[in-house]
PDB file of all heavy atoms in Angstrom:
ATOM      1  N   THR P 212      11.069  11.698  -3.420  1.00  0.00           N
ATOM      2  CA  THR P 212      10.705  11.669  -1.974  1.00  0.00           C
ATOM      3  C   THR P 212       9.340  11.005  -1.817  1.00  0.00           C
ATOM      4  O   THR P 212       8.484  11.106  -2.705  1.00  0.00           O
ATOM      5  CB  THR P 212      10.626  13.112  -1.429  1.00  0.00           C
ATOM      6  OG1 THR P 212       9.785  13.901  -2.285  1.00  0.00           O
ATOM      7  CG2 THR P 212      11.988  13.748  -1.352  1.00  0.00           C
ATOM      8  N   LEU P 213       9.188  10.336  -0.713  1.00  0.00           N
ATOM      9  CA  LEU P 213       7.922   9.632  -0.444  1.00  0.00           C
ATOM     10  C   LEU P 213       7.507   9.800   0.998  1.00  0.00           C
ATOM     11  O   LEU P 213       8.301   9.615   1.911  1.00  0.00           O
ATOM     12  CB  LEU P 213       8.094   8.132  -0.746  1.00  0.00           C
ATOM     13  CG  LEU P 213       6.940   7.217  -0.304  1.00  0.00           C
ATOM     14  CD1 LEU P 213       5.646   7.518  -1.018  1.00  0.00           C
ATOM     15  CD2 LEU P 213       7.321   5.744  -0.527  1.00  0.00           C
ATOM     16  N   GLY P 214       6.257  10.208   1.169  1.00  0.00           N
ATOM     17  CA  GLY P 214       5.669  10.216   2.515  1.00  0.00           C
ATOM     18  C   GLY P 214       4.376   9.440   2.430  1.00  0.00           C
ATOM     19  O   GLY P 214       3.451   9.865   1.740  1.00  0.00           O
ATOM     20  N   TRP P 215       4.347   8.264   3.055  1.00  0.00           N
ATOM     21  CA  TRP P 215       3.121   7.435   2.951  1.00  0.00           C
ATOM     22  C   TRP P 215       2.215   7.711   4.154  1.00  0.00           C
ATOM     23  O   TRP P 215       2.676   8.073   5.233  1.00  0.00           O
ATOM     24  CB  TRP P 215       3.500   5.952   2.924  1.00  0.00           C
ATOM     25  CG  TRP P 215       4.667   5.601   3.773  1.00  0.00           C
ATOM     26  CD1 TRP P 215       5.972   5.447   3.366  1.00  0.00           C
ATOM     27  CD2 TRP P 215       4.683   5.388   5.186  1.00  0.00           C
ATOM     28  NE1 TRP P 215       6.791   5.170   4.425  1.00  0.00           N
ATOM     29  CE2 TRP P 215       6.011   5.127   5.559  1.00  0.00           C
ATOM     30  CE3 TRP P 215       3.723   5.399   6.196  1.00  0.00           C
ATOM     31  CZ2 TRP P 215       6.415   4.889   6.891  1.00  0.00           C
ATOM     32  CZ3 TRP P 215       4.100   5.156   7.515  1.00  0.00           C
ATOM     33  CH2 TRP P 215       5.420   4.917   7.853  1.00  0.00           C
ATOM     34  N   GLU P 216       0.935   7.521   3.955  1.00  0.00           N
ATOM     35  CA  GLU P 216      -0.014   7.642   5.060  1.00  0.00           C
ATOM     36  C   GLU P 216      -0.644   6.252   5.226  1.00  0.00           C
ATOM     37  O   GLU P 216      -1.350   5.796   4.346  1.00  0.00           O
ATOM     38  CB  GLU P 216      -1.107   8.665   4.734  1.00  0.00           C
ATOM     39  CG  GLU P 216      -0.559  10.047   4.474  1.00  0.00           C
ATOM     40  CD  GLU P 216      -1.599  10.943   3.761  1.00  0.00           C
ATOM     41  OE1 GLU P 216      -2.744  10.953   4.203  1.00  0.00           O
ATOM     42  OE2 GLU P 216      -1.202  11.581   2.787  1.00  0.00           O
ATOM     43  N   GLU P 294      -4.972   6.203  11.322  1.00  0.00           N
ATOM     44  CA  GLU P 294      -3.916   6.483  10.327  1.00  0.00           C
ATOM     45  C   GLU P 294      -2.668   6.962  11.006  1.00  0.00           C
ATOM     46  O   GLU P 294      -2.725   7.622  12.033  1.00  0.00           O
ATOM     47  CB  GLU P 294      -4.383   7.564   9.363  1.00  0.00           C
ATOM     48  CG  GLU P 294      -3.321   7.907   8.316  1.00  0.00           C
ATOM     49  CD  GLU P 294      -3.724   9.081   7.429  1.00  0.00           C
ATOM     50  OE1 GLU P 294      -4.734   8.975   6.697  1.00  0.00           O
ATOM     51  OE2 GLU P 294      -3.017  10.101   7.449  1.00  0.00           O
ATOM     52  N   ALA P 296       1.249   8.713   9.822  1.00  0.00           N
ATOM     53  CA  ALA P 296       2.060   9.201   8.690  1.00  0.00           C
ATOM     54  C   ALA P 296       3.390   9.754   9.206  1.00  0.00           C
ATOM     55  O   ALA P 296       3.435  10.340  10.277  1.00  0.00           O
ATOM     56  CB  ALA P 296       1.303  10.284   7.924  1.00  0.00           C
ATOM     57  N   PRO P 297       4.437   9.539   8.444  1.00  0.00           N
ATOM     58  CA  PRO P 297       5.749  10.021   8.830  1.00  0.00           C
ATOM     59  C   PRO P 297       6.074  11.337   8.139  1.00  0.00           C
ATOM     60  O   PRO P 297       5.321  11.790   7.289  1.00  0.00           O
ATOM     61  CB  PRO P 297       6.672   8.941   8.276  1.00  0.00           C
ATOM     62  CG  PRO P 297       6.003   8.579   6.973  1.00  0.00           C
ATOM     63  CD  PRO P 297       4.519   8.739   7.196  1.00  0.00           C
ATOM     64  N   ILE P 298       7.217  11.905   8.500  1.00  0.00           N
ATOM     65  CA  ILE P 298       7.786  12.976   7.689  1.00  0.00           C
ATOM     66  C   ILE P 298       8.388  12.287   6.469  1.00  0.00           C
ATOM     67  O   ILE P 298       9.016  11.211   6.607  1.00  0.00           O
ATOM     68  CB  ILE P 298       8.878  13.695   8.494  1.00  0.00           C
ATOM     69  CG1 ILE P 298       8.267  14.309   9.762  1.00  0.00           C
ATOM     70  CG2 ILE P 298       9.596  14.719   7.634  1.00  0.00           C
ATOM     71  CD1 ILE P 298       9.279  14.793  10.765  1.00  0.00           C
ATOM     72  N   PHE P 299       8.204  12.883   5.308  1.00  0.00           N
ATOM     73  CA  PHE P 299       8.661  12.184   4.105  1.00  0.00           C
ATOM     74  C   PHE P 299      10.175  12.031   4.081  1.00  0.00           C
ATOM     75  O   PHE P 299      10.890  12.755   4.740  1.00  0.00           O
ATOM     76  CB  PHE P 299       8.189  12.920   2.849  1.00  0.00           C
ATOM     77  CG  PHE P 299       8.842  14.260   2.636  1.00  0.00           C
ATOM     78  CD1 PHE P 299       9.986  14.380   1.875  1.00  0.00           C
ATOM     79  CD2 PHE P 299       8.299  15.410   3.191  1.00  0.00           C
ATOM     80  CE1 PHE P 299      10.585  15.624   1.666  1.00  0.00           C
ATOM     81  CE2 PHE P 299       8.872  16.646   2.992  1.00  0.00           C
ATOM     82  CZ  PHE P 299      10.032  16.750   2.233  1.00  0.00           C
ATOM     83  N   ASN P 345       2.497  10.164  -0.964  1.00  0.00           N
ATOM     84  CA  ASN P 345       2.852  11.532  -1.320  1.00  0.00           C
ATOM     85  C   ASN P 345       4.225  11.505  -1.952  1.00  0.00           C
ATOM     86  O   ASN P 345       5.189  11.085  -1.355  1.00  0.00           O
ATOM     87  CB  ASN P 345       2.860  12.409  -0.076  1.00  0.00           C
ATOM     88  CG  ASN P 345       1.485  12.565   0.531  1.00  0.00           C
ATOM     89  OD1 ASN P 345       0.740  13.453   0.175  1.00  0.00           O
ATOM     90  ND2 ASN P 345       1.126  11.643   1.412  1.00  0.00           N
ATOM     91  N   TRP P 346       4.284  11.975  -3.188  1.00  0.00           N
ATOM     92  CA  TRP P 346       5.454  11.760  -4.025  1.00  0.00           C
ATOM     93  C   TRP P 346       5.945  13.072  -4.620  1.00  0.00           C
ATOM     94  O   TRP P 346       5.135  13.878  -5.104  1.00  0.00           O
ATOM     95  CB  TRP P 346       5.075  10.761  -5.107  1.00  0.00           C
ATOM     96  CG  TRP P 346       6.068  10.527  -6.204  1.00  0.00           C
ATOM     97  CD1 TRP P 346       7.014   9.567  -6.231  1.00  0.00           C
ATOM     98  CD2 TRP P 346       6.167  11.222  -7.443  1.00  0.00           C
ATOM     99  NE1 TRP P 346       7.711   9.614  -7.415  1.00  0.00           N
ATOM    100  CE2 TRP P 346       7.201  10.623  -8.158  1.00  0.00           C
ATOM    101  CE3 TRP P 346       5.467  12.323  -7.997  1.00  0.00           C
ATOM    102  CZ2 TRP P 346       7.593  11.074  -9.433  1.00  0.00           C
ATOM    103  CZ3 TRP P 346       5.859  12.747  -9.265  1.00  0.00           C
ATOM    104  CH2 TRP P 346       6.910  12.132  -9.962  1.00  0.00           C
ATOM    105  N   SER P 347       7.215  13.320  -4.520  1.00  0.00           N
ATOM    106  CA  SER P 347       7.770  14.487  -5.195  1.00  0.00           C
ATOM    107  C   SER P 347       9.238  14.214  -5.545  1.00  0.00           C
ATOM    108  O   SER P 347       9.718  13.080  -5.378  1.00  0.00           O
ATOM    109  CB  SER P 347       7.656  15.709  -4.310  1.00  0.00           C
ATOM    110  OG  SER P 347       8.039  16.851  -5.055  1.00  0.00           O
ATOM    111  N   ASN P 355      12.455  21.543  -3.992  1.00  0.00           N
ATOM    112  CA  ASN P 355      11.383  20.605  -4.271  1.00  0.00           C
ATOM    113  C   ASN P 355      10.832  20.962  -5.660  1.00  0.00           C
ATOM    114  O   ASN P 355      10.285  22.039  -5.861  1.00  0.00           O
ATOM    115  CB  ASN P 355      10.284  20.726  -3.202  1.00  0.00           C
ATOM    116  CG  ASN P 355       9.049  19.881  -3.518  1.00  0.00           C
ATOM    117  OD1 ASN P 355       8.984  19.241  -4.584  1.00  0.00           O
ATOM    118  ND2 ASN P 355       8.077  19.924  -2.634  1.00  0.00           N
ATOM    119  N   ARG P 459      -8.155  21.069  -2.296  1.00  0.00           N
ATOM    120  CA  ARG P 459      -7.942  19.631  -2.130  1.00  0.00           C
ATOM    121  C   ARG P 459      -9.059  18.888  -2.834  1.00  0.00           C
ATOM    122  O   ARG P 459     -10.206  19.343  -2.871  1.00  0.00           O
ATOM    123  CB  ARG P 459      -7.968  19.261  -0.644  1.00  0.00           C
ATOM    124  CG  ARG P 459      -6.783  19.775   0.137  1.00  0.00           C
ATOM    125  CD  ARG P 459      -5.554  19.018  -0.292  1.00  0.00           C
ATOM    126  NE  ARG P 459      -4.371  19.435   0.462  1.00  0.00           N
ATOM    127  CZ  ARG P 459      -3.822  18.674   1.377  1.00  0.00           C
ATOM    128  NH1 ARG P 459      -4.349  17.539   1.726  1.00  0.00           N
ATOM    129  NH2 ARG P 459      -2.696  19.079   1.989  1.00  0.00           N
ATOM    130  N   ARG P 461     -10.266  15.038  -2.454  1.00  0.00           N
ATOM    131  CA  ARG P 461      -9.991  13.759  -1.789  1.00  0.00           C
ATOM    132  C   ARG P 461     -10.554  12.599  -2.599  1.00  0.00           C
ATOM    133  O   ARG P 461     -10.463  11.465  -2.178  1.00  0.00           O
ATOM    134  CB  ARG P 461     -10.543  13.757  -0.368  1.00  0.00           C
ATOM    135  CG  ARG P 461      -9.972  14.858   0.458  1.00  0.00           C
ATOM    136  CD  ARG P 461      -9.896  14.484   1.921  1.00  0.00           C
ATOM    137  NE  ARG P 461      -9.036  15.421   2.626  1.00  0.00           N
ATOM    138  CZ  ARG P 461      -7.762  15.192   2.909  1.00  0.00           C
ATOM    139  NH1 ARG P 461      -7.195  14.078   2.589  1.00  0.00           N
ATOM    140  NH2 ARG P 461      -7.044  16.112   3.545  1.00  0.00           N
ATOM    141  N   ASN P 470       2.559  20.891  -3.172  1.00  0.00           N
ATOM    142  CA  ASN P 470       3.969  20.764  -3.409  1.00  0.00           C
ATOM    143  C   ASN P 470       4.378  19.325  -3.670  1.00  0.00           C
ATOM    144  O   ASN P 470       5.520  18.936  -3.542  1.00  0.00           O
ATOM    145  CB  ASN P 470       4.786  21.324  -2.226  1.00  0.00           C
ATOM    146  CG  ASN P 470       4.465  20.600  -0.945  1.00  0.00           C
ATOM    147  OD1 ASN P 470       3.661  19.643  -0.954  1.00  0.00           O
ATOM    148  ND2 ASN P 470       5.054  21.019   0.140  1.00  0.00           N
ATOM    149  N   ARG P 471       3.393  18.488  -4.010  1.00  0.00           N
ATOM    150  CA  ARG P 471       3.626  17.081  -4.252  1.00  0.00           C
ATOM    151  C   ARG P 471       2.403  16.476  -4.898  1.00  0.00           C
ATOM    152  O   ARG P 471       1.335  17.099  -4.879  1.00  0.00           O
ATOM    153  CB  ARG P 471       3.877  16.342  -2.940  1.00  0.00           C
ATOM    154  CG  ARG P 471       2.690  16.472  -1.991  1.00  0.00           C
ATOM    155  CD  ARG P 471       2.983  16.003  -0.597  1.00  0.00           C
ATOM    156  NE  ARG P 471       1.817  15.935   0.230  1.00  0.00           N
ATOM    157  CZ  ARG P 471       1.427  16.927   1.043  1.00  0.00           C
ATOM    158  NH1 ARG P 471       2.121  18.037   1.122  1.00  0.00           N
ATOM    159  NH2 ARG P 471       0.349  16.779   1.785  1.00  0.00           N
ATOM    160  N   GLU P 473      -0.226  13.243  -4.684  1.00  0.00           N
ATOM    161  CA  GLU P 473      -0.650  12.225  -3.706  1.00  0.00           C
ATOM    162  C   GLU P 473      -1.305  11.100  -4.491  1.00  0.00           C
ATOM    163  O   GLU P 473      -2.385  11.297  -5.039  1.00  0.00           O
ATOM    164  CB  GLU P 473      -1.605  12.837  -2.707  1.00  0.00           C
ATOM    165  CG  GLU P 473      -2.014  11.919  -1.614  1.00  0.00           C
ATOM    166  CD  GLU P 473      -2.793  12.616  -0.483  1.00  0.00           C
ATOM    167  OE1 GLU P 473      -2.797  13.864  -0.440  1.00  0.00           O
ATOM    168  OE2 GLU P 473      -3.396  11.920   0.329  1.00  0.00           O
TER     169      GLU P 473
HETATM  170  P1  LIG A   1      -3.015  14.862   4.361  1.00  0.00           P
HETATM  171  O1  LIG A   1      -3.812  13.905   5.230  1.00  0.00           O
HETATM  172  O2  LIG A   1      -3.545  16.212   4.297  1.00  0.00           O
HETATM  173  O3  LIG A   1      -2.738  14.287   3.038  1.00  0.00           O
HETATM  174  P2  LIG A   1      -0.756  14.193   6.071  1.00  0.00           P
HETATM  175  O4  LIG A   1      -0.051  15.138   6.952  1.00  0.00           O
HETATM  176  O5  LIG A   1      -1.534  13.102   6.669  1.00  0.00           O
HETATM  177  O6  LIG A   1      -1.623  15.085   5.075  1.00  0.00           O
HETATM  178  O7  LIG A   1       0.283  13.557   5.111  1.00  0.00           O
HETATM  179  C1  LIG A   1       1.048  14.291   4.259  1.00  0.00           C
HETATM  180  C2  LIG A   1       2.242  13.459   3.911  1.00  0.00           C
HETATM  181  O8  LIG A   1       2.900  14.068   2.801  1.00  0.00           O
HETATM  182  C3  LIG A   1       3.283  13.358   4.998  1.00  0.00           C
HETATM  183  O9  LIG A   1       3.782  12.056   5.078  1.00  0.00           O
HETATM  184  C4  LIG A   1       4.351  14.320   4.504  1.00  0.00           C
HETATM  185  O10 LIG A   1       5.632  14.028   5.000  1.00  0.00           O
HETATM  186  C5  LIG A   1       4.264  14.087   3.014  1.00  0.00           C
HETATM  187  N1  LIG A   1       4.951  15.121   2.217  1.00  0.00           N
HETATM  188  C6  LIG A   1       4.973  16.429   2.400  1.00  0.00           C
HETATM  189  N2  LIG A   1       5.785  17.021   1.476  1.00  0.00           N
HETATM  190  C7  LIG A   1       6.285  16.040   0.709  1.00  0.00           C
HETATM  191  C8  LIG A   1       7.181  15.984  -0.408  1.00  0.00           C
HETATM  192  N3  LIG A   1       7.755  17.050  -0.909  1.00  0.00           N
HETATM  193  N4  LIG A   1       7.447  14.772  -0.949  1.00  0.00           N
HETATM  194  C9  LIG A   1       6.895  13.664  -0.458  1.00  0.00           C
HETATM  195  N5  LIG A   1       6.049  13.665   0.573  1.00  0.00           N
HETATM  196  C10 LIG A   1       5.732  14.828   1.154  1.00  0.00           C
END
Side-chain angles (χ1 to χ4, degrees):
T212 51
L213 169 64
W215 36 263
E216 300 163 47
E294 180 185 298
I298 298 167
F299 69 92
N345 293 271
W346 172 92
S347 188
N355 173 358
R459 291 290 182 107
R461 302 210 166 262
N470 60 2
R471 61 190 187 266
E473 184 171 347

